[in-house]
Amino acid sequence: MTRKPIRAIVAAAVAACAAAGTVVVAQPSVAGNQHQQTGGHAWPWKLVDTSPDLVRPEALTVDRSIGQRRAALEVRLAQQLYTFWNTGEKKYLDLAVSPDFRDNTLPPGRPQGPTGPLFASAAFRAAVPDLTCELADLLVTGDKITARLVFRGHFTGTYNGVRGKGQTVDFNAIDIQHAGARQIVEDWHIEDNQTLLSQLGVA
């Protein structure tokens, strides 16, 4: 899967929701996540937790029908989860994910439950120590959170016995998170592994 089809999938989903009249779509109008909260864009962006330690979405689509409190909860859960992926710090995963969390697209060798993301993050950071995770698109619809992520960094560590030479890493992933009453309870995800392995030089 390449970056263009992933963006096309997200764009099609947003367009379909907008046509149905159930969502508000907004994007930041200035760089660096400094969102203008005026006019028609005020409502979705005021749902974002502006705590300086949390990542913020670059684009946001929210289903108004779930109500402001529920929408704010789901946006915050997404921010906490992807701050974990951005930093590798377990405390953010603990905030976002239920102890009964289930990965429905579990890769071979990865433990089930909340231990799985910890395992994956540690393994990834062994290869790409400066890994960052950009929350490029966030869609909140009902009890589902859909995110397009961009992972970036440099292959200066080790992957499957191969030592990196500083190669640039830049690839996309798509997540669907199922939010329960207070935390994320399950997910489905797909990563552009072909691009990643090519960038690592191990494809």
Side-chain angles (χ1 to χ4, degrees), residues 84-85 93 107-111 113-126:
F84 160 71
W85 285 109
L93 182 69
R110 184 182 299 183
T115 304
L118 289 171
F119 176 89
S121 176
F124 203 168
R125 289 181 181 278

Side-chain angles (χ1 to χ4, degrees), residues 53-155:
D53 59 323
L54 295 179
V55 298
R56 303 185 197 178
E58 294 294 327
L60 179 61
T61 305
V62 180
D63 179 356
R64 278 187 179 270
S65 70
I66 65 175
Q68 182 169 324
R69 180 177 296 181
R70 177 67 187 186
L73 168 67
E74 294 188 29
V75 171
R76 186 169 63 254
L77 289 174
Q79 290 184 260
Q80 291 166 342
L81 178 62
Y82 298 116
T83 297
F84 160 71
W85 285 109
N86 189 55
T87 64
E89 295 186 30
K90 181 178 180 291
K91 64 181 181 180
Y92 296 109
L93 182 69
D94 291 342
L95 289 170
V97 170
S98 165
D100 299 322
F101 169 80
R102 178 173 180 80
D103 184 343
N104 292 299
T105 45
L106 191 70
R110 184 182 299 183
Q112 184 56 270
T115 304
L118 289 171
F119 176 89
S121 176
F124 203 168
R125 289 181 181 278
V128 186
D130 64 344
L131 181 70
T132 61
C133 175
E134 175 188 325
L135 182 49
D137 286 286
L138 179 61
L139 291 78
V140 175
T141 52
D143 61 359
K144 298 297 192 300
I145 301 165
T146 303
R148 180 175 69 87
L149 313 168
V150 183
F151 290 93
R152 297 188 178 94
H154 298 87
F155 182 26

Side-chain angles (χ1 to χ4, degrees), residues 159-160 171 192-203:
Y159 178 81
N160 280 357
F171 72 100
D192 187 358
N193 288 321
Q194 183 175 355
T195 294
L196 171 61
L197 294 176
S198 178
Q199 292 170 347
L200 295 179
V202 296

Side-chain angles (χ1 to χ4, degrees), residues 20 43 66 97 102 111 114 134 138 162 165-166 168-169 176 181:
W43 183 80
I66 65 175
V97 170
R102 178 173 180 80
E134 175 188 325
L138 179 61
V162 177
K165 301 177 180 178
T168 296
V169 169
I176 300 176

